[in-house]
Amino acid sequence: MFVIFGAAGNVGRVSAAALRRAGREVRAVVRNNRQGAVLADIGCEIAIADLLDPTSVARAIEGAYAVQMLCPVPHADADPVTTMRRMIDVSADALRANPPQRLLALSDYGAEHASGTGITTLFHYLETQLAPVASQLTFLRAAEHMHNWGRVLPIALARGVLPSLHHPLSKQFPTVAAQDVGLLAAELLLDDRPAKVSPRVVSIEGEARVSALDVARILGELAHRQIEAHEVPRGEWAAMLHGAGLGENHARLITDLYDAHNAGRIDVESEISERRFGATAIADVFAAILARAGAASTATSTATSTATTAAR
C-alpha cells in the first residue's frame, strides 16, 4: 500500500494518479470526503485524517509499504509555526512507531538551513524530525512552485503590473511545476533499488531559471497585453501581505523567506543533492491557470445571464 498525504493537493494528486497508473494500491489521505471524491474515482482508498490528531495519522499509515508525507503550511492559522511544528511532531511520532519500508518527505530548497529562511525553516524541522525514522528515507526538495505566481496573476492582468518580492527584477531563481514534483515523487517511491545513503536528498527544479522580468514577459505574451514587473519596496512587503489577508506571523515568514531568497540562500544544496529537472515550462503552467480562470469567468457569466433571463 502506497499512502499519500496531501493527496488532494497539486503534488499529491499527481503522485497518486501516477502510482495508480503503475498498478499500485494507493491510500489517499485527505481532510474530508469531498476532497476524496476525484481520488476515489481513479481507484484510491480514501482515508480522512487530521495531521494534528495522532490517532487518525496512525490509522492512515497502517499497513503502508511506502508513505509520501506532506505537512502543509497552515495559511489561515494565527500561529502557523507552532501549528505546523505540531503537525510534524504528530506525523514523525506515528512514523517512528510504525515505520514503512519507504518514506518520502516533500521538502523545499534551502531546508538545510536551521534559521533565517522563514517558511523554509519549517521544512528543516520536518527533515530533522523524520531523520530517525527507520525507513529508506528520501527528502524531495523542490524549488519555488510555479503556480504560486497564480496569487498575483489577477493583479497583473487587471493593472498591467506584476508585483515581485524577488529583488532585483533581473535576478534568476529556480522554479518548478507541481506536476513535475508529483511525478518525480512517485518515481522515487517506485524505485526499489537499495539507496546508497539514507536520508537520500533529491532536488528538482525546471529546466530554465527565470527572473521576475521573464515572468512578466511570459504572462504578457499569453494574455496579449503589456505587463511590467514591479519591485515591491522592502518596506511595503508587510502591508502588501496583510492586504492579501495574511496574518502578522505568516507575513513575517514570507518576508524572511524572500530576504533569504534575495540573499542567495534559497537554492539547491548541490554538494549532497541528486539533481533532477522537470519538463514543464512556466509558460505552460501560466497557460493552464489562465485557461481555468477563463473557464470560470465564462461559467459565471453564463449563470448570471441564465438567471437574468429567467427573472424576466
Side-chain angles (χ1 to χ4, degrees):
M1 177 66 72
F2 287 73
V3 177
I4 308 298
F5 282 83
N10 292 317
V11 173
R13 184 172 62 250
V14 172
S15 296
L19 291 167
R20 288 296 300 141
R21 287 195 299 271
R24 301 304 197 271
E25 293 183 346
V26 174
R27 181 179 298 145
V29 184
V30 294
R31 292 194 300 270
N32 54 59
N33 285 316
R34 179 183 57 80
Q35 288 185 331
V38 173
L39 294 155
D41 288 343
I42 63 171
C44 293
E45 175 187 322
I46 305 302
I48 309 298
D50 177 352
L51 291 182
L52 295 172
D53 175 29
T55 301
S56 66
V57 174
R59 187 183 305 119
I61 65 171
E62 286 180 1
Y65 162 75
V67 172
Q68 180 170 309
M69 177 53 62
L70 168 68
C71 284
V73 179
H75 296 292
D77 198 286
D79 187 359
V81 171
T82 298
T83 300
M84 185 167 169
R85 280 177 169 255
R86 284 176 56 207
M87 290 192 293
I88 291 169
D89 289 340
V90 167
S91 300
D93 286 346
L95 289 163
R96 282 194 294 265
N98 186 16
Q101 187 168 327
R102 307 179 69 84
L103 172 61
L104 181 143
L106 298 169
S107 188
D108 267 12
Y109 271 27
E112 69 273 17
H113 300 300
S115 62
T117 58
I119 284 175
T120 303
T121 60
L122 294 169
F123 291 95
H124 175 84
Y125 184 73
L126 172 69
E127 292 189 7
T128 300
Q129 294 304 103
L130 293 182
V133 176
S135 300
Q136 188 166 312
L137 175 60
T138 299
F139 296 133
L140 178 52
R141 293 180 183 170
E144 177 180 309
H145 283 201
M146 295 171 180
H147 71 264
N148 288 350
W149 285 95
R151 301 166 188 165
V152 295
L153 292 195
I155 297 173
L157 294 172
R159 303 177 185 173
V161 175
L162 180 79
S164 175
L165 305 186
H166 283 287
H167 294 181
L169 296 176
S170 59
K171 173 179 69 73
Q172 292 195 322
F173 51 89
T175 63
V176 68
Q179 67 193 57
D180 289 338
V181 180
L183 289 171
L184 177 56
E187 176 188 324
L188 293 170
L189 287 175
L190 290 168
D191 184 356
D192 289 329
R193 293 173 298 177
K196 296 179 180 178
V197 295
S198 186
R200 177 185 185 186
V201 179
V202 181
S203 68
I204 181 170
E205 62 182 85
E207 291 182 345
R209 294 193 169 195
V210 298
S211 68
L213 294 173
D214 295 324
V215 171
R217 173 183 55 78
I218 292 167
L219 180 59
E221 290 172 354
L222 290 169
H224 306 291
R225 64 160 301 173
Q226 183 69 28
I227 295 178
E228 295 185 1
H230 169 64
E231 186 176 292
V232 180
R234 177 63 177 81
E236 297 177 10
W237 288 8
M240 185 189 79
L241 293 168
H242 292 154
L246 297 185
E248 181 178 350
N249 290 328
H250 197 172
R252 187 179 302 115
L253 288 176
I254 298 291
T255 56
D256 288 350
L257 171 64
Y258 279 92
D259 280 337
H261 247 303
N262 296 334
R265 299 186 70 209
I266 306 297
D267 211 325
V268 61
E269 190 179 11
S270 56
E271 295 81 5
I272 68 167
S273 180
E274 301 175 35
R275 299 194 69 181
R276 304 290 184 91
F277 297 89
T280 307
I282 195 167
D284 297 327
V285 173
F286 285 179
I289 292 173
L290 292 173
R292 287 195 296 271
S297 176
T298 300
T300 300
S301 299
T302 301
T304 302
S305 175
T306 301
T308 301
T309 302
R312 287 174 181 168

